Amino acid sequence: MNAPLPTAQLRQQLYREMDPLNLTPLWEVLHALVPPEPATLCVPALWSYDAVRPFLMRAGEAITAEEAVRRVLILENPALRGQSAVTQSLYAGLQLILPGEVAPSHRHTQSALRFIVEGSGAYTAVDGERTTMHPGDFIITPSWTWHDHGHEGDEPVVWLDGLDIPMVRFFDAGFAENNTSKSQKVSRIEGTSFARYGHNMAPVRHEARFGATSPIFSYPYARSREALECLERDAPVDDWDGVKLRYLNPLTGGSPMPTMATFMQRLPAGFDGRPWRQTDGAVYSVVEGNGEAVIEGRGNSWRFAFGPRDHFVIPSWHTARFSSERGCVLFSYSDRPVHQALGIHHEERSS
Ligand code: GTQ
């Protein structure tokens, strides 16, 4: 009789011999699979606009919008290089369009948001309606709607693209199609969607043409800024968020897109915020003013001094706090609606 194998050897032999059958033992990975708390690979990162802008302009010389289809520099999380992802679930990029250019019409199941960073006069067309871009506007491209971008103005226009590309890739649910015409035909005058849905009113009879997505294509900055200013003046300021509003789908009261929530917040002058953390990783675009974000997670800490047009990402379950000496305005987006739909959203506010 052979002596029984020592345990370690017994296990190694088991693993080795079942490996060709694509079998692997749970007990070796259980702790990492079901961690005691979120342990994201993502790291916080800041893209200073001063550093990024020259490369965007060089991209403008290196390729046309038409040839590129979308002339975008992707903001990649430093810990996820090569994956076109700013968090595990979200994509971020800065898109440039120059006067006279057209980014040709296509559609895809991925939802997109545009947050205008620099310049005016470009438009995005969705479903036959054009929307002119101004800095600070938040514009939506609903899933599976034809969209093209164009520019009849006279200065470079840059916007932040926020898409759910990694999420749709995770579900292997992506479809895309090119249009036969470069620019889709205009079939509705500009402002129609806003007139129908943008005034706390809605048509008496309407169909939800964009499914779970807001029928408002553009949420103009003038309106969001006015709301924040009024609240900063006349309402209590939150110790963690300053004055923060979420954008709405007026037909549901939920987020403007099923996969992404969007926010605009103002930190008043002298704001010294308390720390919080939440499971939805978020991407920020600085609209106005300066401030500082201190972020801690997984044993490291980061301190980002930010100014207008800078972008940064706060990953899941990283503790963050904001401060601003002279006040600032921040736009942000995250995958919160999905966390909420799954019942796994967690948030913690510390004193
Ligand atoms: O404008 O349609 O940044 O399809 C990435 C993929 C922008 C767009 C991106 C896209 C678009």
Side-chain angles (χ1 to χ4, degrees), residues 70 72 91-93 95 106 108 112 114 147 149 159 161 163 165:
R70 298 294 182 263
V72 178
Y91 162 103
Q95 180 158 177
H106 70 183
H108 38 71
R114 329 284 175 185
H147 54 284
H149 317 300
W159 65 83
D161 278 325
L163 287 91
I165 289 173

